[in-house]
């Protein structure tokens, strides 16, 4: 059962890719087309080879290199995952502090139905987080990137995945957690993030697809 948090302030870190191969290296590792990220930046993913989401963040391209802003809790594991594929690339990856914050609080993240550290920890692929998430983080026209084959195959087959991110409103997180675990095989389901706002609990969780479409118990709103 996830702990109820009181609207935590989220922290972010920056991975600076520098060197003459930085752009090409990141283009082959990140899910987003870097051609869209030069001005305001763009959401992107770092995926494992089996397409499981390692991290989600914002990428920006500059003349001197590529900056990737990710949740601080995932920064070192993300840098390590990228470094595995450096091989002979003339590119360095340095962790830096940043004041950039795609979301400032847990409440903002929940309101956007956007996965954070707790959701990513469930070991899911991009389509589990919804169509809007995939559309904002993945380019299917840029060419190959690590994890792309399985993501592309799933997208072509209708994005049918067993586990789905949901947003909920209720009086308590415990009753929602029990509800999310009430259908499907044992797996990653349950409440992942929750905040108490105006005498209600708002949060995110993972549900099996067999639960979706069914009427939720009184007092629980699941979207």
């Amino acid at each position: 059962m996830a702990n109820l948090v009181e609207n935590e302030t989220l922290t972010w870190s920056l991975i600076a890719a520098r060197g003459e191969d930085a752009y090409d290296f990141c283009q082959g590792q990140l899910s987003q087309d870097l051609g869209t990220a030069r001005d305001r930046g763009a959401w992107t993913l770092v995926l494992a080879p089996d397409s499981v989401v390692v991290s989600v963040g914002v990428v920006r391209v500059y003349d001197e290199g590529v900056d990737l802003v990710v949740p601080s809790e995932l920064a070192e594991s993300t840098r390590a995952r990228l470094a595995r594929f450096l091989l002979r690339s003339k590119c360095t990856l340095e962790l830096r502090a940043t004041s950039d914050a795609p979301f400032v609080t847990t409440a903002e993240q929940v309101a956007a139905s956007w996965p954070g550290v707790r959701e990513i920890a469930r070991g899911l692929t991009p389509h589990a987080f919804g169509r809007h998430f995939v559309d904002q983080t993945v380019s299917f026209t840029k060419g190959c990137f690590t994890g792309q084959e399985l993501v592309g195959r799933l997208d072509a087959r209708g994005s049918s995945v067993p586990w789905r991110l949901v947003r909920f409103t209720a009086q308590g997180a415990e009753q929602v957690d029990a509800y999310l675990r009430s259908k499907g095989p044992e797996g990653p389901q349950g409440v992942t993030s929750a905040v108490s706002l105006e005498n209600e609990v708002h949060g995110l969780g993972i549900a099996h697809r067999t639960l979706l479409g069914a009427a939720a118990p009184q007092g629980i709103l699941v979207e």
Side-chain angles (χ1 to χ4, degrees):
M1 171 63 190
N3 291 325
L4 181 66
V5 298
E6 293 298 330
N7 204 10
E8 291 178 325
T9 298
L10 305 179
T11 59
W12 302 80
S13 298
L14 184 149
I15 300 173
R18 298 293 185 265
E20 60 183 271
D21 294 337
Y23 182 94
D24 289 340
F25 171 75
C26 291
Q27 182 76 323
Q29 294 302 315
L30 304 181
S31 63
Q32 187 61 265
D33 185 347
L34 298 192
T36 68
R38 180 167 288 276
D39 297 323
R40 294 184 298 174
W43 284 105
T44 191
L45 305 174
V46 177
L47 302 177
D50 62 358
S51 81
V52 168
V53 177
V54 174
S55 189
V56 58
V58 173
V59 60
R60 291 185 173 88
V61 178
Y62 304 98
D63 290 341
E64 64 269 25
V66 178
D67 287 351
L68 175 64
V69 175
V70 298
S72 293
E73 298 95 324
L74 302 176
E76 181 52 47
S77 60
T78 303
R79 191 205 64 80
R81 150 61 187 84
L82 292 171
R84 286 175 51 199
F85 292 86
L86 276 173
L87 301 176
R88 297 180 179 85
S89 297
K90 295 179 180 179
C91 174
T92 61
L93 301 170
E94 179 186 349
L95 278 179
R96 299 179 181 176
T98 182
S99 59
D100 197 353
F103 295 114
V104 176
T105 65
T106 304
E108 290 182 9
Q109 175 202 319
V110 167
S113 296
W114 199 260
V117 173
R118 292 180 178 87
E119 291 72 39
I120 290 170
R122 300 296 169 114
L124 301 168
T125 57
H127 288 88
F129 300 124
R131 184 75 249 174
H132 75 293
F133 179 78
V134 173
D135 288 344
Q136 291 190 61
T137 59
V138 180
S139 169
F140 292 102
T141 60
K142 62 172 281 185
C144 294
F145 56 88
T146 300
Q148 177 257 352
E149 182 179 358
L150 294 177
V151 174
R153 186 185 309 161
L154 183 60
D155 200 71
R157 293 178 177 176
S159 309
S160 179
V161 290
W163 305 107
R164 308 289 179 85
L165 180 72
V166 297
R167 183 174 63 185
F168 68 84
T169 303
Q171 293 301 308
E174 293 80 5
Q175 63 181 136
V176 180
D177 191 70
Y179 172 61
L180 296 182
R181 295 177 185 278
S182 65
K183 284 194 176 183
E186 184 177 351
Q189 69 265 55
V191 171
T192 51
S193 296
V195 293
S196 181
L197 298 171
E198 299 179 353
N199 300 316
E200 289 184 323
V201 174
H202 299 252
L204 300 175
I206 307 299
H208 192 262
R209 61 188 171 196
T210 56
L211 191 70
L212 304 181
Q218 186 175 2
I220 298 177
L221 174 63
V222 175
E223 302 174 88

